[in-house]
Amino acid sequence: MKYVIVDIETTGGNPTQGGITEIAALLYENGMEVDRFHSLINPERFIPGFITGLTGIDQEMVRDSPTFSEIAEELFDFLKGNVFVAHNVNFDYSFIREAFKKSGFQYDAPKLCTVRLSRKAFPGFHSYSLGRICEQLHIKISNRHRAFGDAEATAILFGLIEKKSPETILSSLKRNSGESFLPPNISKEKFLKIPEGTGIYYFHDKNGKVIYVGKALNIRERFKGHFSGNSKEKLNLKSEIHDISWQLTGSEFLAYLIELLEIKNLWPKYNKALKYKSSNWALYQYEDGAGFIRLQVAKNSRPQQAVFEFDSHSEAWKFLLDKVEEFDLCPKLAGIQKTPNQCYDYKINKCKGACCGKESSEVYNKKINQFIDSIESNYKSILIREKGIHPNEHSALYFEKGVFSGYGFFDENMEAQQAEYIIGALQKVKHQPETRYILRSFVTKVNPSQIQVF
């Protein structure tokens, strides 16, 4: 087995925003170094003063150095097929994987962390930072906080760990390889095909039926999290899953929306949180035999389009009471009063008599339509531009009266396209009132320039 011991220097601590300034990689086979890779790298961004103070690398040193994309292919060939080893491995690995991704390479490798391995092989030390552990084990670091010097020291440390506790390395490799947590019917090859992007995913049973739908910023990492515990439900799910499929969205906002729609559509057995239908209420309209438009508050489960939707019966009832008074409507025709004859308000001159033939349907319906128009003017439709799946595209999320209505993906010139064209090209979705809650949660996080109101 080959190990590649890696160390990098960077402009900061965030792999999506920082840049690599230096990289060193030492290739080991059977305990012997067989090859090495080392280069300063132009990060194509400013190097902060405190970083220069720590590493000695400044803007002038990397001015004529290659960019990461220029050495990406050579480095990729050097690293691929080998176990990635580093001190605090997730830092180095995430930076390199992100840089590869921006250069068009998909890098995945088994990895080992010499911090974790040192804790098991040499327990009892007060600190396991590279400097402190090397001091305690009498490992000389020739050039501290430079990639090559730190990589050499890490290689010596790894050799001591391998000599003292080889079983620790083997067990860590098995644990990190993705084999120990995998469900019995999901192969490692299938697991490695799972994307690391944002979207929704489906677990299928042996017959292909969807038994769980989830959302994630990183689908592969979320998949691992499903099987990290030993609860009865996790063990049952682990034994039942035979396949996984996914749909990338790019946008977390869109992932939340599609997850809800899919759960409502498929009713998977392991989705408990959203499995049961909500008890939302709605206001409906219909025309009676005499030509009057009537109103009714009812459960939001009818196939017809609601005038408006509410979280509770009391909210709907209060709204209707206020509007009956505001628009001078008949309480009986609005479904508030149940009486075989004229409404009680007519007797005290608060109703114009639509309930007993004293007000014509034409005049009354005009007031009803004014009421409905007022609702539509206060609750407009909105089009939101969100992150797309690919770098040069955006997603479009469309809401009517606060409820998710459709979505689609467009190139980066979407803002130059007519809103009518975008809305017409969207994939329509089933009306689900609960999407209003997701809109409320996310709309405050969206840049106002990405929202268009109609």
Side-chain angles (χ1 to χ4, degrees):
M1 185 174 294
K2 293 182 180 180
Y3 302 93
V4 60
I5 288 80
V6 181
D7 192 84
I8 62 172
E9 303 301 333
T10 70
T11 61
N14 189 323
T16 60
Q17 298 176 4
I20 299 172
T21 58
E22 186 180 27
I23 182 168
L26 308 177
L27 183 61
Y28 275 74
E29 185 175 13
N30 298 322
M32 299 291 293
E33 182 183 334
V34 295
D35 204 354
R36 60 176 54 185
F37 180 99
H38 176 236
S39 178
L40 284 169
I41 297 175
N42 185 338
E44 301 181 277
R45 67 201 70 197
F46 176 70
I47 301 176
F50 75 92
I51 294 292
T52 298
L54 180 68
T55 66
I57 301 173
D58 58 21
Q59 221 76 43
E60 187 63 31
M61 285 180 63
V62 299
R63 187 181 305 279
D64 298 322
S65 299
T67 63
F68 188 91
S69 61
E70 290 172 334
I71 58 101
E73 185 174 1
E74 181 184 358
L75 179 62
F76 186 82
D77 290 339
F78 187 89
L79 297 177
K80 70 178 181 181
N82 305 312
V83 178
F84 189 103
V85 182
H87 206 71
N88 192 13
V89 69
N90 286 335
F91 177 86
D92 303 77
Y93 185 81
S94 60
F95 261 93
I96 290 175
R97 186 172 57 176
E98 182 67 24
F100 272 134
K101 183 178 178 181
K102 292 177 180 177
S103 301
F105 293 85
Q106 180 65 44
Y107 178 64
D108 290 290
K111 56 185 187 291
L112 291 172
C113 179
T114 50
V115 176
R116 295 181 180 178
L117 294 173
S118 295
R119 291 183 187 276
K120 294 180 179 179
F122 308 106
F125 289 170
H126 294 297
S127 171
Y128 288 87
S129 68
L130 185 61
R132 293 295 294 160
I133 188 77
C134 285
E135 180 182 328
Q136 305 228 36
L137 295 174
H138 308 292
I139 299 171
K140 183 180 179 181
I141 305 179
S142 58
N143 200 355
R144 184 75 173 106
H145 294 303
R146 288 295 300 272
F148 194 75
D150 286 353
E152 281 190 316
T154 303
I156 296 171
L157 173 61
F158 183 72
L160 293 177
I161 296 169
E162 192 173 27
K163 183 177 180 180
K164 185 175 188 297
S165 184
E167 69 280 359
T168 299
I169 293 175
L170 293 175
S171 62
S172 294
L173 271 177
K174 184 178 179 181
R175 184 174 62 253
N176 296 334
S177 68
E179 296 174 358
S180 61
F181 73 87
L182 282 177
N185 298 301
I186 300 293
S187 67
K188 184 180 178 182
E189 289 70 28
K190 181 68 177 180
F191 168 71
L192 291 176
K193 289 180 181 178
I194 300 173
E196 296 184 305
T198 300
I200 62 170
Y201 55 94
Y202 308 81
F203 291 168
H204 304 262
D205 65 13
K206 62 182 180 181
N207 298 315
K209 183 179 179 181
V210 175
I211 55 176
Y212 183 84
V213 177
K215 62 184 175 300
L217 290 173
N218 183 318
I219 297 177
R220 187 189 297 179
E221 286 300 315
R222 183 67 189 95
F223 178 85
K224 291 172 66 176
H226 273 286
F227 309 108
S228 59
N230 292 313
S231 67
K232 182 178 179 181
E233 184 166 331
K234 285 192 174 185
L235 292 174
N236 288 340
L237 179 59
K238 191 172 186 176
S239 65
E240 283 194 54
I241 178 176
H242 277 65
D243 198 7
I244 175 174
S245 60
W246 51 82
Q247 178 182 349
L248 293 175
T249 63
S251 159
E252 182 185 16
F253 190 174
L254 182 56
Y256 267 82
L257 291 164
I258 296 179
E259 180 202 34
L260 184 148
L261 294 174
E262 290 290 66
I263 291 174
K264 290 288 186 179
N265 179 48
L266 299 169
W267 301 110
K269 66 182 289 188
Y270 284 100
N271 284 102
K272 291 185 176 180
L274 292 172
K275 188 171 180 178
Y276 302 102
K277 292 185 177 181
S278 67
S279 58
N280 286 355
W281 291 77
L283 179 65
Y284 295 96
Q285 63 168 325
Y286 65 96
E287 188 175 309
D288 66 14
F292 286 90
I293 298 175
R294 292 192 174 224
L295 301 173
Q296 183 180 18
V297 171
K299 284 286 186 70
N300 193 9
S301 57
R302 299 184 178 185
Q304 70 192 92
Q305 181 68 44
V307 175
F308 197 62
E309 296 162 327
F310 306 90
D311 294 340
S312 65
H313 182 271
S314 60
E315 181 188 0
W317 203 250
K318 183 180 185 305
F319 176 85
L320 185 56
L321 285 170
D322 291 342
K323 296 305 178 182
V324 163
E325 184 172 349
E326 180 181 347
F327 288 89
D328 197 19
L329 304 178
C330 173
K332 178 180 178 180
L333 299 190
I336 293 173
Q337 294 181 11
K338 309 295 182 184
T339 172
N341 301 309
Q342 68 266 30
C343 70
Y344 302 118
D345 284 30
Y346 178 72
K347 298 176 183 179
I348 57 175
N349 297 318
K350 286 187 67 178
C351 169
K352 295 295 191 295
C355 51
C356 56
K358 301 299 182 182
E359 184 177 32
S360 70
S361 61
E362 292 79 7
V363 172
Y364 184 78
N365 290 348
K366 184 177 181 180
K367 294 190 292 186
I368 286 282
N369 287 324
Q370 288 174 343
F371 158 54
I372 294 172
D373 288 343
S374 73
I375 293 177
E376 294 179 349
S377 64
N378 288 328
Y379 298 94
K380 299 181 179 180
S381 299
I382 60 174
L383 183 68
I384 299 176
R385 190 177 77 249
E386 267 280 290
K387 183 179 179 182
I389 300 172
H390 306 294
N392 297 321
E393 73 175 6
H394 296 296
S395 60
L397 284 58
Y398 187 51
F399 294 82
E400 294 180 288
K401 296 181 182 179
V403 177
F404 189 43
S405 177
Y407 71 97
F409 297 94
F410 301 85
D411 64 34
E412 60 185 359
N413 296 317
M414 169 183 164
E415 56 267 22
Q417 298 169 356
Q418 294 293 323
E420 292 78 8
Y421 165 77
I422 293 173
I423 294 171
L426 295 177
Q427 177 179 332
K428 302 302 181 184
V429 300
K430 187 176 179 180
H431 183 88
Q432 292 291 357
E434 291 89 340
T435 57
R436 287 182 295 143
Y437 307 129
I438 298 174
L439 174 63
R440 292 173 190 173
S441 298
F442 277 90
V443 73
T444 56
K445 305 174 186 177
V446 178
N447 189 316
S449 65
Q450 297 173 222
I451 302 175
Q452 191 170 356
V453 182
F454 300 91

